[in-house]
Amino acid sequence: MSMETPKSNEIKRLTTPLTLENFKAYDSDGKLLHCSETLSDVRFIVEPKEHILNDNEILQYAPQSKSASKIRLKRGFGNLQDVLLIHESLPWILGFFYTILISVSIPITFSRNIMGMYLILVLFVLPLIYLFFIMNLNRYAKNNQTKKVHTAQKQQKTKDEETSQPSHEEKGLESLKVYEKEINNLKVLFNVKEEVVRDLIAKRFEPPQITYDRFISSIDRCHKLFYAQSDAALNIINLAAEDTPRVQDEIKSKIEAMKTMINQIEDLTNELVINISSTENSEDDVKNLLDDMENLIDSVKDY
């Protein structure tokens, strides 16, 4: 097992199932989580720590966080749910504000106090203007437009300054590099989830036990097969003479196999968490998931 880095530790914290105790939720570090409540949703949010993950990694490993909502809005594909998550307390503040304002406006209206009525009108409209301002999704994209234009100009300038003329083969290889980044991200995610599930297996089936040995053996086989798929995909990316549909299909099939194994380990992790938390829960569900994983390993290996 490779040495843990701050990034891998943070990814592990973000992807490890929450611990629920006395109607409170804690992350893997034992930190009490804030309960985020909007008009349509109530959930516990694990926020990424600052200066560890980049924007793309936050979107991948913490898509439900406020940080991810800010990134989506900044990039121009956020929605009103992202706005409400960032300003989660705003609906309750506005509700309280207008309740007080209406209560105050009733006696002022009956007394026909013109100045007071104008003041009430202004106070009534100002929050609506602010609400329209923060709900305007185009505003977030426009704020980032200048940066995008500058980046595009810089990239174009870099291309113009390149003296070498890449061949058709080099263009093909360069077009496959996008898969290399995806594969590397999947490897980090797999390592984190593998470590979590190994810890849970040891906790649920304390060795030495035949059941423990079987689980660990399957995880070992899954690890070996996952990296075989990863290495095969990277070899295609690095050695392919040109970018063809067949080459892309081969790489995509390897990536899909890797994703399927990650999902299988995640399902097993969740089932183990539930099984550990409930003494009444049968072990059949966990063992069925183990059988599914072994069948998956055999099918991918045969392919």
Side-chain angles (χ1 to χ4, degrees):
M1 192 67 65
S2 60
M3 183 178 297
E4 292 188 356
T5 63
K7 178 177 289 189
S8 64
N9 285 333
E10 177 64 1
I11 294 174
K12 178 180 178 181
R13 186 180 72 87
L14 293 173
T15 57
T16 300
L18 305 181
T19 301
L20 298 177
E21 184 177 338
N22 297 328
F23 303 102
K24 296 180 180 180
Y26 302 85
D27 63 13
S28 60
D29 291 343
K31 181 181 178 181
L32 179 64
L33 298 179
H34 168 65
C35 178
S36 176
E37 183 175 359
T38 64
L39 293 176
S40 60
D41 191 17
V42 177
R43 56 180 152 165
F44 292 100
I45 297 179
V46 184
E47 286 292 335
K49 298 176 182 177
E50 295 183 357
H51 312 306
I52 296 181
L53 303 181
N54 59 39
D55 287 355
N56 290 331
E57 289 167 338
I58 290 175
L59 290 175
Q60 180 177 359
Y61 300 115
Q64 305 301 320
S65 65
K66 291 183 180 180
S67 299
S69 292
K70 292 177 182 178
I71 294 170
R72 283 191 291 268
L73 289 170
K74 183 178 68 174
R75 293 184 174 183
F77 59 89
N79 54 33
L80 292 180
Q81 186 175 358
D82 290 316
V83 176
L84 288 174
L85 179 61
I86 295 173
H87 303 278
E88 59 177 316
S89 60
L90 184 60
W92 315 111
I93 294 175
L94 288 178
F96 180 74
F97 174 80
Y98 279 113
T99 300
I100 301 250
L101 188 62
I102 292 172
S103 300
V104 173
S105 66
I106 293 175
I108 292 178
T109 303
F110 279 110
S111 66
R112 299 183 181 277
N113 185 332
I114 302 300
M115 291 299 297
M117 293 173 66
Y118 275 122
L119 179 60
I120 291 295
L121 181 61
V122 171
L123 292 176
F124 188 88
V125 171
L126 283 178
L128 295 180
I129 295 175
Y130 176 71
L131 189 62
F132 175 79
F133 175 74
I134 66 170
M135 291 292 182
N136 183 8
L137 298 179
N138 293 330
R139 176 180 69 89
Y140 299 94
K142 287 180 180 178
N143 289 341
N144 200 38
Q145 192 63 34
T146 304
K147 185 182 294 185
K148 288 182 179 180
V149 171
H150 178 72
T151 302
Q153 291 175 344
K154 186 176 180 180
Q155 290 176 347
Q156 186 61 42
K157 183 179 179 181
T158 302
K159 290 180 181 179
D160 293 340
E161 290 176 351
E162 291 178 350
T163 56
S164 62
Q165 296 182 352
S167 65
H168 177 71
E169 291 183 356
E170 289 173 335
K171 290 181 180 178
L173 289 173
E174 187 63 29
S175 66
L176 296 177
K177 292 298 182 181
V178 62
Y179 296 113
E180 183 177 10
K181 183 176 182 180
E182 183 177 3
I183 290 170
N184 289 332
N185 286 337
L186 289 175
K187 286 163 67 175
V188 173
L189 184 58
F190 178 84
N191 289 339
V192 171
K193 291 187 177 295
E194 180 189 8
E195 183 177 352
V196 171
V197 79
R198 285 180 183 273
D199 292 341
L200 289 173
I201 291 170
K203 184 176 181 180
R204 179 61 184 84
F205 307 103
E206 186 175 352
Q209 287 189 42
I210 295 177
T211 306
Y212 171 85
D213 293 337
R214 183 187 172 197
F215 269 90
I216 293 301
S217 176
S218 293
I219 299 300
D220 289 339
R221 292 176 61 203
C222 187
H223 177 98
K224 184 177 179 180
L225 184 59
F226 179 90
Y227 276 93
Q229 296 293 310
S230 168
D231 293 342
L234 291 175
N235 284 336
I236 295 174
I237 293 171
N238 294 326
L239 300 178
E242 58 181 346
D243 184 359
T244 64
R246 182 181 176 186
V247 168
Q248 293 222 14
D249 288 342
E250 285 293 326
I251 296 173
K252 289 178 181 178
S253 68
K254 306 291 184 189
I255 291 176
E256 284 303 315
M258 295 167 65
K259 289 180 178 178
T260 303
M261 282 184 275
I262 289 175
N263 291 335
Q264 196 73 43
I265 283 186
E266 186 170 12
D267 289 342
L268 180 60
T269 299
N270 292 332
E271 196 60 49
L272 283 168
V273 170
I274 295 173
N275 192 269
I276 291 172
S277 303
S278 176
T279 56
E280 298 177 359
N281 200 326
S282 171
E283 296 182 8
D284 291 341
D285 292 336
V286 180
K287 292 182 179 178
N288 288 338
L289 276 170
L290 180 61
D291 292 336
D292 291 341
M293 177 178 289
E294 292 177 341
N295 292 333
L296 170 66
I297 293 171
D298 293 335
S299 64
V300 174
K301 187 166 60 177
D302 292 339
Y303 173 80

